[in-house]
């Protein structure tokens, strides 16, 4: 089978698509034929930085595909599934034509999405769910999401609105304002300097911007970015954990028409270098999807 591998860290040119041995699933594992994946910032960071599993390594966290073989009572051959694999920690990358994963990482794909659309959900959606849980939002809390037009931010705005919060957003450029409003945000700013001071019960920072002056006294501050936390009492980082359960809940929300996903561009896996270049250029209003 073909897989996207790196032998060294570096720019998009270190990405190779090449033949590797088919995986052999073990007990409790499911073998999935990949239909699509999507790009996440961790993919280019794992490619470019001296981090992650020993090389050579297969990249990729998101998976949408069809079950080929299963040692699980919950998944049968032919099922459409999604999964998130923490490639950075485990080395189990999803950018391969066949992927074996423990069944606890899988959920059935949303019935109302194509598999390329569903491939945008796993890492970004799970991160949004878990970071919002870490914020422990009270009823009718006022929340600020930075990077609100991004993959995690856009889903977090929608999920927090559904949970009853009043949500404002911070975006990087004016052309993203309308989309974030459509997700349910009230006020959307383009610069941290425009934000009101001392008013938010909670902040979810996905963009690595210090917006601590917008937080009310006693408010909660959670960041998923690589940047250091601001000097706010109780400020915390949230690190995504693999969870088929969170994926199943996200899929149910999508199928109930309560959560929207966005695709900005599709690339065949043979053009994975171009996909990385597009992704790293930024300014996207949706995910970059890799097709297998
Ligand atoms: N801790 C974890 O477990 C975890 C999990 C997932 C992701 N992450 C990290 O979280 C970050 C966001 O991930 P993502 O998938 O949502 O990435 P993304 O889709 O690229 O979204 C980031 C968004 O932030 C915007 N942005 C950048 N600088 C900004 C600024 N100064 N003010 C307002 N918005 C700004 C970007 O706009 P432009 O494109 O216009 O620059 C983009 O819309 C990444 O650093 C990623 O590595 C961490």
């Amino acid at each position: 089978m073909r897989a996207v591998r790196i032998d060294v860290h570096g720019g998009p040119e270190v990405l190779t698509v090449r033949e590797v041995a088919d995986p052999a699933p073990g007990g409790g594992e499911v073998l999935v034929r990949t239909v699509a994946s999507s790009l996440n910032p961790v993919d280019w960071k794992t490619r470019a930085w001296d981090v992650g599993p020993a090389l050579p390594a297969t990249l990729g966290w998101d998976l949408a595909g069809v079950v080929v073989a299963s040692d699980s009572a919950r998944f049968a051959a032919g099922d459409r599934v999604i999964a998130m694999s923490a490639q950075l920690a485990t080395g189990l990358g999803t950018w391969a034509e066949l992927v074996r994963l423990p069944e606890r990482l899988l959920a059935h794909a949303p019935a109302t999405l194509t598999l390329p659309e569903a491939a945008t959900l796993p890492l970004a959606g799970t991160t949004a769910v878990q970071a919002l849980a870490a914020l422990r939002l009270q009823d009718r809390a006022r929340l600020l999401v930075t990077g609100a037009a991004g993959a995690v931010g856009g889903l977090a705005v929608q999920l927090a609105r559904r949970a009853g919060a009043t949500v404002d957003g911070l975006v990087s450029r004016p052309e993203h304002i309308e989309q974030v409003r459509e997700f349910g945000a009230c006020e959307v700013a383009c610069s941290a300097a425009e934000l009101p001071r001392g008013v938010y019960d909670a902040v979810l920072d996905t963009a690595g911007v210090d917006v601590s002056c917008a937080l009310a006294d006693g408010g909660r501050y959670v960041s998923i970015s690589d940047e250091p936390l601001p000097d706010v009492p109780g400020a915390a980082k949230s690190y995504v954990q693999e969870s088929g359960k969170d994926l199943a809940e996200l899929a149910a929300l999508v199928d109930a028409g309560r959560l929207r996903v966005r695709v900005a561009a599709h690339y065949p896996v043979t053009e994975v270098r171009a996909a990385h270049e597009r992704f790293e250029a930024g300014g996207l209003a949706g995910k970059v999807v890799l097709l297998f």
Side-chain angles (χ1 to χ4, degrees), residues 73-257:
R74 292 169 48 228
F75 301 100
D79 285 0
R80 298 163 76 249
V81 291
I82 53 176
M84 186 201 87
S85 177
Q87 184 271 350
L88 187 68
T90 64
L92 273 176
T94 59
W95 292 355
E97 288 174 318
L98 290 169
V99 177
R100 65 168 181 87
L101 289 175
E103 68 151 355
R104 65 185 164 75
L105 305 196
L106 273 74
H108 287 98
T112 52
L113 296 184
T114 64
L115 287 172
E117 290 169 333
T120 64
L121 198 55
L123 173 52
T126 306
T127 304
V129 165
Q130 294 176 0
L132 288 172
L135 278 170
R136 300 196 300 270
L137 296 177
Q138 305 289 322
D139 270 356
R140 294 194 286 279
R142 188 166 180 196
L143 168 71
L144 173 67
V145 177
T146 73
V152 177
L155 293 169
V157 169
Q158 297 178 70
L159 291 166
R161 279 291 296 134
R162 295 289 177 200
T166 300
V167 186
D168 290 349
L170 176 67
V171 297
S172 59
R173 50 191 89 211
E175 57 268 36
H176 287 168
I177 291 176
E178 197 45 46
Q179 186 175 65
V180 175
R181 287 219 174 96
E182 283 170 19
F183 290 153
C186 295
E187 304 296 330
V188 184
C190 273
S191 149
E194 296 169 25
L195 294 170
R197 295 188 157 246
V199 300
Y200 292 101
D201 303 309
V203 165
L204 172 54
D205 177 27
T206 80
V209 199
D210 182 347
V211 290
S212 52
C213 58
L215 193 68
D217 281 349
R220 292 187 59 81
Y221 200 105
V222 166
S223 170
I224 62 161
S225 94
D226 304 323
E227 298 301 320
L229 287 168
D231 187 15
V232 170
K237 295 241 182 179
S238 177
Y239 295 101
V240 68
Q241 307 294 317
E242 294 168 330
S243 170
K245 179 172 165 291
D246 286 345
L247 286 179
E249 287 171 13
L250 287 160
L253 287 171
V254 169
D255 282 341

